[in-house]
Every structure is written in C-alpha cells, then in structure tokens.
Amino acid sequence: MTQFFTFLVFKSIMYFIYHEIKTFFHYLKYLFNFLSCVSLFKYLIYKKKDYRILRNKTQKEVLEKNNFFWRTSLDSKDKQDNILITSLIDVLDYGIGNALVGKMLSKILNKNSVALIRELHFKTEIFIRSFGIDKIYYVPEGNFFSRFKFLLKSIDLLKDIKTTDNLLNLKYQNIDVGIAAYDHHIRFTGIGSSDLINAKMVFFLSKALLVQNFSEKFFKLNSFTEVIQSEQQFLPSQIIFQNALINKCNVFARIGIGNQISIMKYDNFNDRYKDRNCFSKSLLDLVHKNFDKDKSKEVENYIIERFKGNPKFSVDHGIFEDKLNNFEKENSLFNNYTKIDLCKKFNWDINKPIVGIFASDMTDGVFKFDWKIFKDNWTGFLITMKTIKEIKNINWLIKAHPNDIKTKITTETERHVIDLSKEFKNIKLFPKNFGNSPLPKIISAAITMSGSVGYEYPSLGIPSIVCAGTIYAGNGFTHETQNIKDYKEILNNVDKLPPLSHDQISRAKSFVYTHYILSKNTSSFIPETTKNLISGGYEDVDFWKSLKIRIDNYNFEKDNFYKNFKIQLEKNDRHTINYNFLN
C-alpha cells in the first residue's frame, strides 16, 4: 500500500465520521421542519404523508383540490403498467413539472403512475401524492453500517487509482460511477478541477455506489417502460438516469422552468450525456428550410434583448425576479462604448482585433456533452489562458460566467485574469460597469467551452469557437475543435477566420428560433411566477392562489403543452415543439 493511498484512506474515514455527525444534525433539522409543517396528531391517524396532515390551510385546500382533479380525470383502476415519475430534488419547480408530465403521459398511454423520491423529502412526497399517486418508492439514505460498507467498497475500487483522469473511467455494474462522483465533487465543493483523488471524492463515490446498489435492484424488480426525470446531473440523479436507460426505459426529461416547457425523449444509453436541449438534425434542417424574414427579425430582436439582459429573453436556468434585478443593473451600465473606447481604456492598439473569451460555468453542466476536449471547464480555461499569453497580435477580452458569484466557486475566473493582465497588457477582464450590447460590433470572434455565445454571436454574423459537443454542435455555424492541438492552432489563427456565410448565419438563427421559441409550449396548469420556486417555492403564497384557480379552470384539450405532447408521442419526435409554429 502506497503512502498516498494510506493517507487517502485515513482522511476518507475521518471525513466519513465528520459527515456522519452532520447527518445526525441533518436528521434533527428534518424532524424540526416536519413537525413545523404538519400536524403530528393527524399524521399518526392517517399514517401517510399527504395533504391531510398539513398545517398550512391554503396549501391543504389547494392540494385537496388537486388530488380530486387528478383522481377524477384519470382512471387508474386495474392498470398494471406503471409510469415512474421521479422527483429527486426537493423544490417546487421540479415537483410540479415532473408530476404534470407524468400524469399527462399516464392519460395519453392509459397507464398508472408511481413515484420515486428521496428519503426525508416529505414536502415533495406530500405534493406528489396530491396528483393521485399512491405508490411511492424511496431512494435510500442508508444507515451508518450500509454507508460505511459502501465507503469501504469505494476505497477498494480506488486502491489502484490515484488521479481523477483514471477516476473518470471508473465503472461499476456498467454505470459511470467515477464521473458521477467527480461531477458531484465539482458542484458541491466549488472546485472546478482536481488532479488527484481526495477524501471527498472517495465519500461521493460511496454515495454513488449506495444509489447504484438500490437502482440496479429497483429497475430489475419493476418493469417500467417510461420514466419522467428532468435532472440528470449529480447524485443520485445521474446514477438513476443511467440505470433507467440501461434498462431500456424511455426517459422523458422536462426542459425549461415555469410554464414554458418542452420534453426531450431519451431512448438510448449512448445518449446519457446528451443535453436535454440537443434538437435532432432533422428538426433543425426543417426549421432552416422554412426560415423566413419574419422569423429572422424575431430572432434578431430576441438576441438584442438577451444582450440587454432582458429577463423575458434569458436562458432557462435562473429566476425571473433575480433576472429582473440584474436587468435593472444592466440598464445602469455603460452601453454606448465603441472599440475605440475599449482600446483607450486598456491602452490597446486600435489596429489589433479584439476577441472575446466567454468563460463557461465552472461547476454546472460540466459533463452534459457527447464529446469534449478538456476534462472539465476549469482545465479548459487554464489551457486557454496559457495559450493566449503567447499570442500578441490579438487583444483578448475575458468575461467570467455570471454563475461564478452566484455559486461561490473556489476557482475564481476573475482573479486569475486580473493577475494575468498585470503582466500581459493585451489580456483584460471585461469591465463590470460595461454592458453587453455593443460587443457584437466590437469583437471579431467569440470563444467558449460550450456556452450560449456559441450560437448567439454567429446569429449576428460573428464566428464562434467551441470545445465540446454542445447543444448546437454539428450544425455548420461554429468552429468545433476536436482536440487540444486543434484548439491551440485555431486560437493562433483566430484573426484569420473567414466571415460567416449567409447560410451559416441563417442556420444559427434557425437554432435560436428552435431553442427559444419553437420548443416553448405553454402549460395552462402551471402557474406563472416571478418567485424562486427553486429554493423557497413552497412558501410562495401567490403560487398556491394561482394553482387553485388553474385547477378549477383546467381543460386538457385546451392546454397548448398537452396538445403538442400528444403529437410528439404520435410522431415519435425527440422534442415537444409548438407544431403550429412550423406552418
């Protein structure tokens, strides 16, 4: 046994003990929250976590109404086939979206539905049961002995592994447990990249093995053919998603937040790292074929508003209320600058081209690609910075990802660029008091690991360079680097990139149209909200009032999402789209 491994085992056991102490207090917090939200007396009577035990009268009334609606709308008697609705994150947005999609699928396919949630997520259970779901399965947290058993198992699997490069290749029962552990580590430590395995990775691997032990048996004992699951990253979601696919389930993954949604259907294990927004080439070709001037102007306006920071035109993740605050800040920024202004500010040579490097999110979506040339986004960023230090004929403008501050990542993009710019005068951080709007008229190319700028800028005629199998890869309007050598070469020649053709710009616009307009189907069941359903949604009074009204007035055949979802199933399409928009 090497000294490294001996020390790793010691630290892993110590971290396990530390986490067990945290788990004890987590259970106490759960008990406190449970007793704060429910009537213990009623729970002892009904022995079921449903709306009847709630203290909150408004929630209780709405969920009772919801329960009555779904039990009278769908007949579940004598149905043997079950659709599995997963709700693995204890937030309202995931709960209502997954439950709605699952119950609609149950209605269309005439099947019963059951649910899979995590232990201790009692709010999720109460909410899910209100959709007329009686059978609930639980992803186990395990007890002290089972958790310790899988810690020892993870140590055993890693006895010949030292680096994270090798960890990423680790499989257990044909499931990518190594990637799951590393991805979870990145997300929940805020450390964008690591070369050597550490105690937390060993611990996260043990959690992956515990989930895998459950999942392998769960899918073999139950003959599910349809699974509803929106989140496919991190633990336990990534392990359960892989098991669903390897057991030949059709997985229906919801896209979007609020009531503007679509569904991507997964039916192949090889697509387990394909992002939910990867539209089929046949759909994108069809949209491009029928793309007209009106749609082109609509896309141009969409992109312009996005660059202004308008929350109505922003990406799906995030909350409208937060985006509105950012939009107000954006409007106060300096948006009338030119290339001359930037060059004066940084003392740059006006005759040199300015190339924008847009850092990707360092902790989220790191493994949502069919292919990528870097181990993780932070590794890619560091190699990019190292490469451009030698390229003096370009002025490099670096923009950190907005989520760096939001998620408090440990690997700070801005600090790294600031330190670099002290020595290399042609490398500068994008000023915080400057807006985004003028950039398309200033930069000559946009570089990103996988971000949205890879299609935004091409839609305005600016070439983009990407380093992964992004949601827009393979559609002819980006420069896609296949390896690190190729990437460095294109960085050295970025000033020689040819202008985008009319067809390439049109294809980029077609993608934007498909992504942000065509695939957005409004559900009249889900309330509109500006509140944060991802962290405090259960306390959103307006949400419950709106849900009550919508249940009273809901009609399946008038629901835009339901109608298009049925068409998607009939056509066996990959995504739910607004089929009227194709006409």
Side-chain angles (χ1 to χ4, degrees):
M1 185 179 291
T2 65
Q3 184 177 358
F4 172 82
F5 186 66
T6 302
F7 188 61
L8 179 64
V9 171
F10 172 76
K11 292 203 67 174
S12 298
I13 293 175
M14 295 304 295
Y15 184 75
F16 174 82
I17 294 172
Y18 163 75
H19 201 273
E20 285 298 307
I21 295 172
K22 286 184 63 177
T23 299
F24 172 76
F25 288 103
H26 177 68
Y27 284 139
L28 290 180
K29 183 179 179 181
Y30 161 78
L31 184 61
F32 174 80
N33 290 335
F34 182 73
L35 295 177
S36 298
C37 293
V38 309
S39 165
L40 181 60
F41 176 72
K42 290 183 179 179
Y43 178 62
L44 293 175
I45 293 176
Y46 297 119
K47 294 181 172 58
K48 184 183 287 187
K49 296 172 185 174
D50 64 17
Y51 66 88
R52 293 174 296 179
I53 68 173
L54 284 173
R55 293 183 184 273
N56 188 301
K57 292 182 179 180
T58 300
Q59 292 180 12
K60 183 177 179 179
E61 180 183 347
V62 175
L63 293 184
E64 182 178 14
K65 184 182 291 290
N66 192 47
N67 185 61
F68 178 79
F69 172 81
W70 289 104
R71 289 192 183 280
T72 54
S73 298
L74 279 72
D75 181 14
S76 61
K77 294 180 180 179
D78 302 322
K79 294 178 182 177
Q80 300 301 316
D81 294 329
N82 289 326
I83 292 171
L84 178 65
I85 302 172
T86 71
S87 191
L88 304 173
I89 304 176
D90 195 22
V91 293
L92 196 51
D93 181 62
Y94 283 94
I96 191 170
N98 287 8
L100 180 65
V101 171
K103 298 304 290 188
M104 286 184 170
L105 192 62
S106 296
K107 181 177 177 65
I108 296 168
L109 300 182
N110 195 31
K111 291 185 177 184
N112 191 27
S113 51
V114 297
L116 175 67
I117 66 172
R118 299 177 67 177
E119 285 184 345
L120 307 184
H121 284 187
F122 72 90
K123 289 183 180 180
T124 293
E125 180 169 350
I126 292 171
F127 190 76
I128 287 291
R129 284 191 185 278
S130 77
F131 284 82
I133 298 172
D134 294 318
K135 181 62 177 176
I136 304 285
Y137 297 95
Y138 305 92
V139 181
E141 298 289 335
N143 55 41
F144 174 85
F145 299 102
S146 63
R147 291 192 289 265
F148 189 67
K149 180 184 76 172
F150 285 109
L151 179 74
L152 296 179
K153 181 66 176 177
S154 67
I155 290 172
D156 181 61
L157 289 175
L158 296 172
K159 63 180 180 293
D160 297 319
I161 296 176
K162 185 176 180 179
T163 67
T164 53
D165 288 340
N166 291 328
L167 175 65
L168 294 176
N169 295 320
L170 180 64
K171 293 180 181 291
Y172 181 73
Q173 296 176 338
N174 297 316
I175 299 298
D176 301 323
V177 292
I179 289 178
Y182 186 67
D183 194 22
H184 202 78
H185 180 272
I186 288 176
R187 179 61 168 175
F188 292 96
T189 63
I191 300 173
S193 185
S194 304
D195 293 327
L196 297 177
I197 294 173
N198 60 44
K200 289 185 180 181
M201 291 179 199
V202 177
F203 176 76
F204 291 143
L205 179 59
S206 73
K207 290 172 69 73
L209 295 176
L210 190 153
V211 177
Q212 173 55 24
N213 180 66
F214 160 79
S215 302
E216 194 266 342
K217 297 174 183 176
F218 176 71
F219 281 98
K220 282 188 176 179
L221 291 174
N222 297 280
S223 55
F224 303 119
T225 53
E226 293 86 21
V227 175
I228 314 300
Q229 183 174 338
S230 295
E231 183 63 81
Q232 297 128 33
Q233 300 182 93
F234 318 126
L235 297 172
S237 301
Q238 191 174 145
I239 301 296
I240 293 169
F241 178 61
Q242 290 186 56
N243 274 275
L245 291 177
I246 210 168
N247 282 278
K248 309 299 181 184
C249 297
N250 291 317
V251 180
F252 295 85
R254 179 179 53 89
I255 307 167
I257 62 173
N259 63 359
Q260 298 291 314
I261 58 177
S262 180
I263 299 296
M264 176 173 172
K265 177 185 174 184
Y266 291 85
D267 57 10
N268 191 323
F269 183 71
N270 292 331
D271 291 336
R272 62 194 182 279
Y273 294 114
K274 189 182 291 292
D275 189 279
R276 285 173 286 175
N277 292 286
C278 283
F279 301 99
S280 67
K281 195 171 188 311
S282 59
L283 173 61
L284 293 173
D285 286 344
L286 179 63
V287 175
H288 178 244
K289 181 180 178 181
N290 293 282
F291 207 64
D292 55 31
K293 289 184 178 180
D294 290 337
K295 291 185 177 66
S296 179
K297 289 181 180 178
E298 188 174 4
V299 168
E300 288 176 8
N301 177 67
Y302 200 103
I303 295 298
I304 289 171
E305 292 299 320
R306 275 178 56 76
F307 275 71
K308 289 180 180 178
N310 191 330
K312 294 181 179 180
F313 299 86
S314 59
V315 294
D316 285 338
H317 60 75
I319 303 302
F320 186 87
E321 194 173 60
D322 296 336
K323 293 173 182 175
L324 189 60
N325 293 333
N326 291 336
F327 185 38
E328 292 173 354
K329 292 178 183 177
E330 187 79 19
N331 285 334
S332 66
L333 299 179
F334 181 41
N335 274 297
N336 294 319
Y337 61 92
T338 63
K339 181 180 179 180
I340 295 175
D341 295 325
L342 268 183
C343 289
K344 283 183 178 179
K345 178 177 180 61
F346 296 132
N347 196 26
W348 278 351
D349 184 348
I350 190 73
N351 296 313
K352 292 182 179 180
I354 298 176
V355 173
I357 297 178
F358 298 83
S360 295
D361 193 321
M362 298 300 173
T363 62
D364 193 11
V366 178
F367 293 94
K368 293 172 64 176
F369 313 107
D370 288 320
W371 60 267
K372 55 192 179 70
I373 66 174
F374 299 112
K375 177 174 68 176
D376 46 55
N377 291 340
W378 184 246
T379 298
F381 179 76
L382 291 180
I383 291 177
T384 302
M385 294 300 101
K386 183 178 180 180
T387 303
I388 65 173
K389 288 192 298 185
E390 308 302 323
I391 306 174
K392 310 294 185 182
N393 61 316
I394 304 289
N395 289 323
W396 303 98
L397 188 63
I398 321 296
K399 198 170 189 301
H401 196 277
N403 282 354
D404 280 10
I405 297 175
K406 179 181 176 181
T407 54
K408 299 178 182 178
I409 67 168
T410 304
T411 44
E412 296 179 13
T413 308
E414 291 189 0
R415 185 174 60 188
H416 186 85
V417 176
I418 290 171
D419 289 342
L420 204 63
S421 65
K422 294 175 183 177
E423 181 180 356
F424 301 93
K425 303 304 180 183
N426 64 326
I427 300 176
K428 295 295 181 182
L429 187 69
F430 184 71
K432 288 187 177 182
N433 63 328
F434 277 42
N436 295 313
S437 298
L439 284 179
K441 297 179 180 179
I442 294 174
I443 67 172
S444 58
I447 299 169
T448 177
M449 297 294 112
S450 56
S452 60
V453 298
Y455 56 81
E456 292 167 345
Y457 281 87
S459 71
L460 300 176
I462 311 298
S464 69
I465 301 165
V466 298
C467 308
T470 64
I471 59 175
Y472 46 88
N475 290 295
F477 57 81
T478 58
H479 295 273
E480 296 164 19
T481 54
Q482 300 301 312
N483 51 60
I484 296 176
K485 180 181 178 182
D486 181 30
Y487 178 60
K488 290 181 178 180
E489 184 176 345
I490 201 168
L491 287 180
N492 277 279
N493 294 280
V494 68
D495 57 324
K496 301 180 182 64
L497 292 178
L500 294 184
S501 66
H502 175 75
D503 182 71
Q504 287 176 309
I505 296 173
S506 178
R507 287 188 178 277
K509 288 182 177 179
S510 298
F511 176 83
V512 175
Y513 182 83
T514 305
H515 186 29
Y516 289 112
I517 300 171
L518 186 63
S519 65
K520 293 299 181 284
N521 305 271
T522 303
S523 169
S524 55
F525 185 88
I526 301 176
E528 293 183 70
T529 181
T530 62
K531 301 293 184 180
N532 193 337
L533 297 186
I534 290 180
S535 64
Y538 288 101
E539 310 308 320
D540 184 356
V541 177
D542 293 337
F543 170 86
W544 295 103
K545 290 180 180 179
S546 179
L547 180 58
K548 180 181 178 182
I549 295 172
R550 286 170 180 263
I551 294 171
D552 285 333
N553 295 281
Y554 187 72
N555 184 305
F556 283 100
E557 300 306 324
K558 292 182 179 180
D559 186 282
N560 185 56
F561 170 71
Y562 179 74
K563 290 187 291 185
N564 286 309
F565 188 30
K566 283 203 301 184
I567 297 173
Q568 176 194 6
L569 295 173
E570 291 169 2
K571 292 177 172 288
N572 196 29
D573 286 345
R574 182 187 292 180
H575 281 87
T576 321
I577 61 171
N578 194 326
Y579 289 91
N580 292 329
F581 282 17
L582 286 179
N583 298 329

